[in-house]
Amino acid sequence: MRAFLLLVLLAIPFQRSMAQKEKKQTAVLNHIAVYVADLQKATDFYHGIFDLEIIPEPFKDGRHTWFTLGPAGQLHLIQGAKASTVHDKNEHLCFSVPSIETFIKKLNSKNINFEDWGGTAKGITNRADGIKQVYFKDPDGHWLEVNDDK
């Protein structure tokens, strides 16, 4: 009986190990790349609006700025886009902040127009779950959402 119990106890870690190996690997976000017309203007915008930290980029060619997004990954700005591109609001980047009201004060201080989802100027969308959202464009016309989701 002791030998059987010992065999069972030894098998449990082996079974857990096999189950972990068979567990499906989930992909994680590494970075988001945004194509911009004026790299310095876009860099100043994202750094100034979101207080993002610039991190080293390997190319050193004057065409890239990389920001850390913490555990979420990185934001890569890449010089070379045509200035006349129109972007749909459904295709947007979203950042969360602790206070939408404080963030709106920042947008107003920088004369950046914002709107709610429906397009009402200076409007705030209140989602069904209570999250507040505003939308605005970066210098290249890419839509950005900022919300107070915690």
Side-chain angles (χ1 to χ4, degrees), residues 44-71:
D44 292 345
F45 177 85
Y46 280 91
H47 181 69
I49 292 296
F50 298 111
D51 299 318
L52 298 177
E53 178 187 344
I54 297 173
I55 57 174
E57 52 87 6
F59 304 106
K60 314 256 185 282
D61 60 5
R63 293 189 59 236
H64 300 83
T65 299
W66 286 13
F67 295 101
T68 181
L69 298 175

PDB file of all heavy atoms in Angstrom, residues 44-71:
ATOM      1  N   ASP A  44       6.504  64.706 -30.136  1.00  0.00           N
ATOM      2  CA  ASP A  44       6.158  65.739 -29.157  1.00  0.00           C
ATOM      3  C   ASP A  44       4.714  65.589 -28.692  1.00  0.00           C
ATOM      4  O   ASP A  44       4.406  65.756 -27.506  1.00  0.00           O
ATOM      5  CB  ASP A  44       6.365  67.130 -29.751  1.00  0.00           C
ATOM      6  CG  ASP A  44       7.835  67.455 -30.001  1.00  0.00           C
ATOM      7  OD1 ASP A  44       8.724  66.752 -29.462  1.00  0.00           O
ATOM      8  OD2 ASP A  44       8.092  68.419 -30.757  1.00  0.00           O
ATOM      9  N   PHE A  45       3.825  65.257 -29.622  1.00  0.00           N
ATOM     10  CA  PHE A  45       2.411  65.090 -29.288  1.00  0.00           C
ATOM     11  C   PHE A  45       2.208  63.943 -28.294  1.00  0.00           C
ATOM     12  O   PHE A  45       1.626  64.132 -27.223  1.00  0.00           O
ATOM     13  CB  PHE A  45       1.599  64.825 -30.565  1.00  0.00           C
ATOM     14  CG  PHE A  45       0.150  64.578 -30.321  1.00  0.00           C
ATOM     15  CD1 PHE A  45      -0.745  65.625 -30.196  1.00  0.00           C
ATOM     16  CD2 PHE A  45      -0.341  63.284 -30.221  1.00  0.00           C
ATOM     17  CE1 PHE A  45      -2.091  65.395 -29.965  1.00  0.00           C
ATOM     18  CE2 PHE A  45      -1.681  63.033 -29.984  1.00  0.00           C
ATOM     19  CZ  PHE A  45      -2.562  64.095 -29.858  1.00  0.00           C
ATOM     20  N   TYR A  46       2.680  62.750 -28.621  1.00  0.00           N
ATOM     21  CA  TYR A  46       2.452  61.585 -27.752  1.00  0.00           C
ATOM     22  C   TYR A  46       3.170  61.732 -26.415  1.00  0.00           C
ATOM     23  O   TYR A  46       2.636  61.350 -25.376  1.00  0.00           O
ATOM     24  CB  TYR A  46       2.862  60.289 -28.464  1.00  0.00           C
ATOM     25  CG  TYR A  46       1.816  59.809 -29.439  1.00  0.00           C
ATOM     26  CD1 TYR A  46       1.839  60.205 -30.769  1.00  0.00           C
ATOM     27  CD2 TYR A  46       0.778  58.979 -29.028  1.00  0.00           C
ATOM     28  CE1 TYR A  46       0.868  59.790 -31.665  1.00  0.00           C
ATOM     29  CE2 TYR A  46      -0.197  58.552 -29.910  1.00  0.00           C
ATOM     30  CZ  TYR A  46      -0.149  58.965 -31.232  1.00  0.00           C
ATOM     31  OH  TYR A  46      -1.120  58.548 -32.106  1.00  0.00           O
ATOM     32  N   HIS A  47       4.358  62.310 -26.451  1.00  0.00           N
ATOM     33  CA  HIS A  47       5.083  62.531 -25.200  1.00  0.00           C
ATOM     34  C   HIS A  47       4.354  63.572 -24.344  1.00  0.00           C
ATOM     35  O   HIS A  47       4.178  63.384 -23.137  1.00  0.00           O
ATOM     36  CB  HIS A  47       6.519  62.975 -25.501  1.00  0.00           C
ATOM     37  CG  HIS A  47       7.341  63.208 -24.285  1.00  0.00           C
ATOM     38  ND1 HIS A  47       7.751  62.190 -23.453  1.00  0.00           N
ATOM     39  CD2 HIS A  47       7.829  64.352 -23.753  1.00  0.00           C
ATOM     40  CE1 HIS A  47       8.457  62.697 -22.463  1.00  0.00           C
ATOM     41  NE2 HIS A  47       8.513  64.001 -22.619  1.00  0.00           N
ATOM     42  N   GLY A  48       3.909  64.651 -24.958  1.00  0.00           N
ATOM     43  CA  GLY A  48       3.259  65.738 -24.226  1.00  0.00           C
ATOM     44  C   GLY A  48       1.861  65.427 -23.726  1.00  0.00           C
ATOM     45  O   GLY A  48       1.482  65.847 -22.629  1.00  0.00           O
ATOM     46  N   ILE A  49       1.096  64.694 -24.500  1.00  0.00           N
ATOM     47  CA  ILE A  49      -0.290  64.394 -24.129  1.00  0.00           C
ATOM     48  C   ILE A  49      -0.366  63.236 -23.148  1.00  0.00           C
ATOM     49  O   ILE A  49      -1.128  63.269 -22.185  1.00  0.00           O
ATOM     50  CB  ILE A  49      -1.138  64.066 -25.381  1.00  0.00           C
ATOM     51  CG1 ILE A  49      -1.305  65.313 -26.239  1.00  0.00           C
ATOM     52  CG2 ILE A  49      -2.504  63.500 -25.005  1.00  0.00           C
ATOM     53  CD1 ILE A  49      -2.081  66.429 -25.575  1.00  0.00           C
ATOM     54  N   PHE A  50       0.403  62.186 -23.387  1.00  0.00           N
ATOM     55  CA  PHE A  50       0.288  60.979 -22.572  1.00  0.00           C
ATOM     56  C   PHE A  50       1.453  60.778 -21.595  1.00  0.00           C
ATOM     57  O   PHE A  50       1.468  59.799 -20.852  1.00  0.00           O
ATOM     58  CB  PHE A  50       0.149  59.740 -23.474  1.00  0.00           C
ATOM     59  CG  PHE A  50      -1.089  59.770 -24.317  1.00  0.00           C
ATOM     60  CD1 PHE A  50      -1.006  59.926 -25.689  1.00  0.00           C
ATOM     61  CD2 PHE A  50      -2.342  59.659 -23.744  1.00  0.00           C
ATOM     62  CE1 PHE A  50      -2.150  59.954 -26.473  1.00  0.00           C
ATOM     63  CE2 PHE A  50      -3.490  59.688 -24.516  1.00  0.00           C
ATOM     64  CZ  PHE A  50      -3.392  59.842 -25.885  1.00  0.00           C
ATOM     65  N   ASP A  51       2.430  61.693 -21.619  1.00  0.00           N
ATOM     66  CA  ASP A  51       3.603  61.574 -20.744  1.00  0.00           C
ATOM     67  C   ASP A  51       4.316  60.235 -20.929  1.00  0.00           C
ATOM     68  O   ASP A  51       4.824  59.652 -19.976  1.00  0.00           O
ATOM     69  CB  ASP A  51       3.217  61.764 -19.265  1.00  0.00           C
ATOM     70  CG  ASP A  51       2.614  63.133 -18.997  1.00  0.00           C
ATOM     71  OD1 ASP A  51       3.143  64.127 -19.542  1.00  0.00           O
ATOM     72  OD2 ASP A  51       1.622  63.214 -18.255  1.00  0.00           O
ATOM     73  N   LEU A  52       4.339  59.741 -22.168  1.00  0.00           N
ATOM     74  CA  LEU A  52       4.991  58.474 -22.449  1.00  0.00           C
ATOM     75  C   LEU A  52       6.500  58.623 -22.391  1.00  0.00           C
ATOM     76  O   LEU A  52       7.058  59.650 -22.793  1.00  0.00           O
ATOM     77  CB  LEU A  52       4.581  57.948 -23.827  1.00  0.00           C
ATOM     78  CG  LEU A  52       3.098  57.654 -24.020  1.00  0.00           C
ATOM     79  CD1 LEU A  52       2.849  57.206 -25.459  1.00  0.00           C
ATOM     80  CD2 LEU A  52       2.617  56.610 -23.043  1.00  0.00           C
ATOM     81  N   GLU A  53       7.167  57.591 -21.905  1.00  0.00           N
ATOM     82  CA  GLU A  53       8.618  57.585 -21.798  1.00  0.00           C
ATOM     83  C   GLU A  53       9.234  57.063 -23.088  1.00  0.00           C
ATOM     84  O   GLU A  53       8.896  55.967 -23.554  1.00  0.00           O
ATOM     85  CB  GLU A  53       9.040  56.692 -20.626  1.00  0.00           C
ATOM     86  CG  GLU A  53      10.524  56.565 -20.458  1.00  0.00           C
ATOM     87  CD  GLU A  53      10.901  55.543 -19.393  1.00  0.00           C
ATOM     88  OE1 GLU A  53      10.037  55.157 -18.576  1.00  0.00           O
ATOM     89  OE2 GLU A  53      12.072  55.118 -19.398  1.00  0.00           O
ATOM     90  N   ILE A  54      10.128  57.849 -23.666  1.00  0.00           N
ATOM     91  CA  ILE A  54      10.854  57.422 -24.866  1.00  0.00           C
ATOM     92  C   ILE A  54      11.902  56.397 -24.455  1.00  0.00           C
ATOM     93  O   ILE A  54      12.590  56.568 -23.448  1.00  0.00           O
ATOM     94  CB  ILE A  54      11.515  58.626 -25.564  1.00  0.00           C
ATOM     95  CG1 ILE A  54      10.440  59.602 -26.054  1.00  0.00           C
ATOM     96  CG2 ILE A  54      12.408  58.166 -26.723  1.00  0.00           C
ATOM     97  CD1 ILE A  54      10.982  60.901 -26.617  1.00  0.00           C
ATOM     98  N   ILE A  55      11.985  55.333 -25.242  1.00  0.00           N
ATOM     99  CA  ILE A  55      12.966  54.279 -24.979  1.00  0.00           C
ATOM    100  C   ILE A  55      13.882  54.131 -26.194  1.00  0.00           C
ATOM    101  O   ILE A  55      13.525  54.547 -27.297  1.00  0.00           O
ATOM    102  CB  ILE A  55      12.285  52.933 -24.632  1.00  0.00           C
ATOM    103  CG1 ILE A  55      11.338  52.485 -25.756  1.00  0.00           C
ATOM    104  CG2 ILE A  55      11.551  53.034 -23.297  1.00  0.00           C
ATOM    105  CD1 ILE A  55      10.739  51.105 -25.559  1.00  0.00           C
ATOM    106  N   PRO A  56      15.065  53.547 -26.011  1.00  0.00           N
ATOM    107  CA  PRO A  56      15.984  53.379 -27.144  1.00  0.00           C
ATOM    108  C   PRO A  56      15.360  52.521 -28.251  1.00  0.00           C
ATOM    109  O   PRO A  56      14.645  51.562 -27.983  1.00  0.00           O
ATOM    110  CB  PRO A  56      17.184  52.659 -26.528  1.00  0.00           C
ATOM    111  CG  PRO A  56      17.114  52.946 -25.067  1.00  0.00           C
ATOM    112  CD  PRO A  56      15.648  53.074 -24.752  1.00  0.00           C
ATOM    113  N   GLU A  57      15.651  52.909 -29.487  1.00  0.00           N
ATOM    114  CA  GLU A  57      15.230  52.111 -30.640  1.00  0.00           C
ATOM    115  C   GLU A  57      16.485  51.702 -31.401  1.00  0.00           C
ATOM    116  O   GLU A  57      17.459  52.441 -31.427  1.00  0.00           O
ATOM    117  CB  GLU A  57      14.216  52.871 -31.501  1.00  0.00           C
ATOM    118  CG  GLU A  57      14.631  54.262 -31.930  1.00  0.00           C
ATOM    119  CD  GLU A  57      15.451  54.281 -33.213  1.00  0.00           C
ATOM    120  OE1 GLU A  57      15.627  53.243 -33.866  1.00  0.00           O
ATOM    121  OE2 GLU A  57      15.945  55.354 -33.553  1.00  0.00           O
ATOM    122  N   PRO A  58      16.476  50.533 -32.002  1.00  0.00           N
ATOM    123  CA  PRO A  58      17.715  49.979 -32.571  1.00  0.00           C
ATOM    124  C   PRO A  58      18.158  50.578 -33.902  1.00  0.00           C
ATOM    125  O   PRO A  58      19.310  50.411 -34.289  1.00  0.00           O
ATOM    126  CB  PRO A  58      17.372  48.500 -32.744  1.00  0.00           C
ATOM    127  CG  PRO A  58      15.898  48.479 -32.955  1.00  0.00           C
ATOM    128  CD  PRO A  58      15.360  49.584 -32.100  1.00  0.00           C
ATOM    129  N   PHE A  59      17.278  51.292 -34.601  1.00  0.00           N
ATOM    130  CA  PHE A  59      17.602  51.716 -35.963  1.00  0.00           C
ATOM    131  C   PHE A  59      18.508  52.944 -36.017  1.00  0.00           C
ATOM    132  O   PHE A  59      19.338  53.060 -36.905  1.00  0.00           O
ATOM    133  CB  PHE A  59      16.320  51.954 -36.754  1.00  0.00           C
ATOM    134  CG  PHE A  59      15.425  50.756 -36.762  1.00  0.00           C
ATOM    135  CD1 PHE A  59      14.266  50.742 -36.002  1.00  0.00           C
ATOM    136  CD2 PHE A  59      15.752  49.629 -37.495  1.00  0.00           C
ATOM    137  CE1 PHE A  59      13.439  49.624 -35.982  1.00  0.00           C
ATOM    138  CE2 PHE A  59      14.941  48.507 -37.489  1.00  0.00           C
ATOM    139  CZ  PHE A  59      13.783  48.507 -36.727  1.00  0.00           C
ATOM    140  N   LYS A  60      18.299  53.868 -35.122  1.00  0.00           N
ATOM    141  CA  LYS A  60      19.132  55.084 -35.040  1.00  0.00           C
ATOM    142  C   LYS A  60      19.239  55.782 -36.401  1.00  0.00           C
ATOM    143  O   LYS A  60      20.293  56.274 -36.791  1.00  0.00           O
ATOM    144  CB  LYS A  60      20.526  54.761 -34.510  1.00  0.00           C
ATOM    145  CG  LYS A  60      20.540  53.861 -33.286  1.00  0.00           C
ATOM    146  CD  LYS A  60      20.819  54.617 -32.034  1.00  0.00           C
ATOM    147  CE  LYS A  60      20.963  53.726 -30.826  1.00  0.00           C
ATOM    148  NZ  LYS A  60      19.753  53.239 -30.257  1.00  0.00           N
ATOM    149  N   ASP A  61      18.098  55.818 -37.134  1.00  0.00           N
ATOM    150  CA  ASP A  61      18.097  56.407 -38.470  1.00  0.00           C
ATOM    151  C   ASP A  61      17.277  57.699 -38.554  1.00  0.00           C
ATOM    152  O   ASP A  61      17.073  58.240 -39.631  1.00  0.00           O
ATOM    153  CB  ASP A  61      17.573  55.392 -39.492  1.00  0.00           C
ATOM    154  CG  ASP A  61      16.150  54.931 -39.181  1.00  0.00           C
ATOM    155  OD1 ASP A  61      15.522  55.450 -38.233  1.00  0.00           O
ATOM    156  OD2 ASP A  61      15.657  54.033 -39.889  1.00  0.00           O
ATOM    157  N   GLY A  62      16.788  58.173 -37.403  1.00  0.00           N
ATOM    158  CA  GLY A  62      15.989  59.397 -37.401  1.00  0.00           C
ATOM    159  C   GLY A  62      14.573  59.214 -37.909  1.00  0.00           C
ATOM    160  O   GLY A  62      13.854  60.188 -38.092  1.00  0.00           O
ATOM    161  N   ARG A  63      14.159  57.984 -38.151  1.00  0.00           N
ATOM    162  CA  ARG A  63      12.813  57.711 -38.668  1.00  0.00           C
ATOM    163  C   ARG A  63      11.917  57.014 -37.651  1.00  0.00           C
ATOM    164  O   ARG A  63      10.793  56.650 -37.972  1.00  0.00           O
ATOM    165  CB  ARG A  63      12.903  56.835 -39.926  1.00  0.00           C
ATOM    166  CG  ARG A  63      13.550  57.537 -41.105  1.00  0.00           C
ATOM    167  CD  ARG A  63      13.434  56.728 -42.391  1.00  0.00           C
ATOM    168  NE  ARG A  63      12.034  56.487 -42.709  1.00  0.00           N
ATOM    169  CZ  ARG A  63      11.503  55.253 -42.903  1.00  0.00           C
ATOM    170  NH1 ARG A  63      12.266  54.189 -42.836  1.00  0.00           N
ATOM    171  NH2 ARG A  63      10.239  55.116 -43.186  1.00  0.00           N
ATOM    172  N   HIS A  64      12.422  56.790 -36.437  1.00  0.00           N
ATOM    173  CA  HIS A  64      11.671  56.026 -35.438  1.00  0.00           C
ATOM    174  C   HIS A  64      11.725  56.691 -34.070  1.00  0.00           C
ATOM    175  O   HIS A  64      12.774  57.206 -33.685  1.00  0.00           O
ATOM    176  CB  HIS A  64      12.243  54.614 -35.279  1.00  0.00           C
ATOM    177  CG  HIS A  64      12.211  53.803 -36.522  1.00  0.00           C
ATOM    178  ND1 HIS A  64      13.174  53.899 -37.500  1.00  0.00           N
ATOM    179  CD2 HIS A  64      11.318  52.884 -36.956  1.00  0.00           C
ATOM    180  CE1 HIS A  64      12.875  53.062 -38.481  1.00  0.00           C
ATOM    181  NE2 HIS A  64      11.757  52.435 -38.179  1.00  0.00           N
ATOM    182  N   THR A  65      10.609  56.646 -33.355  1.00  0.00           N
ATOM    183  CA  THR A  65      10.575  56.950 -31.929  1.00  0.00           C
ATOM    184  C   THR A  65       9.827  55.809 -31.272  1.00  0.00           C
ATOM    185  O   THR A  65       8.752  55.416 -31.746  1.00  0.00           O
ATOM    186  CB  THR A  65       9.837  58.277 -31.621  1.00  0.00           C
ATOM    187  OG1 THR A  65      10.508  59.353 -32.266  1.00  0.00           O
ATOM    188  CG2 THR A  65       9.789  58.534 -30.116  1.00  0.00           C
ATOM    189  N   TRP A  66      10.401  55.274 -30.221  1.00  0.00           N
ATOM    190  CA  TRP A  66       9.748  54.208 -29.474  1.00  0.00           C
ATOM    191  C   TRP A  66       9.412  54.714 -28.080  1.00  0.00           C
ATOM    192  O   TRP A  66      10.212  55.391 -27.429  1.00  0.00           O
ATOM    193  CB  TRP A  66      10.661  52.992 -29.351  1.00  0.00           C
ATOM    194  CG  TRP A  66      10.815  52.187 -30.607  1.00  0.00           C
ATOM    195  CD1 TRP A  66      10.448  52.528 -31.877  1.00  0.00           C
ATOM    196  CD2 TRP A  66      11.403  50.892 -30.704  1.00  0.00           C
ATOM    197  NE1 TRP A  66      10.776  51.523 -32.753  1.00  0.00           N
ATOM    198  CE2 TRP A  66      11.367  50.505 -32.060  1.00  0.00           C
ATOM    199  CE3 TRP A  66      11.964  50.023 -29.782  1.00  0.00           C
ATOM    200  CZ2 TRP A  66      11.854  49.300 -32.516  1.00  0.00           C
ATOM    201  CZ3 TRP A  66      12.464  48.809 -30.229  1.00  0.00           C
ATOM    202  CH2 TRP A  66      12.399  48.446 -31.580  1.00  0.00           C
ATOM    203  N   PHE A  67       8.200  54.364 -27.631  1.00  0.00           N
ATOM    204  CA  PHE A  67       7.740  54.676 -26.282  1.00  0.00           C
ATOM    205  C   PHE A  67       7.422  53.377 -25.563  1.00  0.00           C
ATOM    206  O   PHE A  67       6.918  52.433 -26.181  1.00  0.00           O
ATOM    207  CB  PHE A  67       6.441  55.492 -26.308  1.00  0.00           C
ATOM    208  CG  PHE A  67       6.564  56.862 -26.911  1.00  0.00           C
ATOM    209  CD1 PHE A  67       6.143  57.103 -28.201  1.00  0.00           C
ATOM    210  CD2 PHE A  67       7.063  57.918 -26.164  1.00  0.00           C
ATOM    211  CE1 PHE A  67       6.220  58.381 -28.755  1.00  0.00           C
ATOM    212  CE2 PHE A  67       7.154  59.198 -26.704  1.00  0.00           C
ATOM    213  CZ  PHE A  67       6.731  59.418 -28.004  1.00  0.00           C
ATOM    214  N   THR A  68       7.640  53.339 -24.268  1.00  0.00           N
ATOM    215  CA  THR A  68       7.172  52.201 -23.494  1.00  0.00           C
ATOM    216  C   THR A  68       5.722  52.441 -23.096  1.00  0.00           C
ATOM    217  O   THR A  68       5.324  53.571 -22.809  1.00  0.00           O
ATOM    218  CB  THR A  68       8.033  51.939 -22.240  1.00  0.00           C
ATOM    219  OG1 THR A  68       7.505  50.779 -21.570  1.00  0.00           O
ATOM    220  CG2 THR A  68       8.046  53.112 -21.277  1.00  0.00           C
ATOM    221  N   LEU A  69       4.949  51.380 -23.112  1.00  0.00           N
ATOM    222  CA  LEU A  69       3.569  51.407 -22.619  1.00  0.00           C
ATOM    223  C   LEU A  69       3.471  50.524 -21.383  1.00  0.00           C
ATOM    224  O   LEU A  69       2.409  49.977 -21.082  1.00  0.00           O
ATOM    225  CB  LEU A  69       2.600  50.925 -23.708  1.00  0.00           C
ATOM    226  CG  LEU A  69       2.565  51.766 -24.989  1.00  0.00           C
ATOM    227  CD1 LEU A  69       1.672  51.113 -26.031  1.00  0.00           C
ATOM    228  CD2 LEU A  69       2.116  53.184 -24.709  1.00  0.00           C
ATOM    229  N   GLY A  70       4.582  50.336 -20.698  1.00  0.00           N
ATOM    230  CA  GLY A  70       4.615  49.481 -19.514  1.00  0.00           C
ATOM    231  C   GLY A  70       4.355  48.038 -19.910  1.00  0.00           C
ATOM    232  O   GLY A  70       4.787  47.595 -20.975  1.00  0.00           O
ATOM    233  N   PRO A  71       3.606  47.295 -19.082  1.00  0.00           N
ATOM    234  CA  PRO A  71       3.348  45.883 -19.378  1.00  0.00           C
ATOM    235  C   PRO A  71       2.566  45.662 -20.672  1.00  0.00           C
ATOM    236  O   PRO A  71       2.584  44.578 -21.226  1.00  0.00           O
ATOM    237  CB  PRO A  71       2.528  45.404 -18.174  1.00  0.00           C
ATOM    238  CG  PRO A  71       2.765  46.402 -17.107  1.00  0.00           C
ATOM    239  CD  PRO A  71       3.081  47.708 -17.793  1.00  0.00           C
TER     240      PRO A  71
END
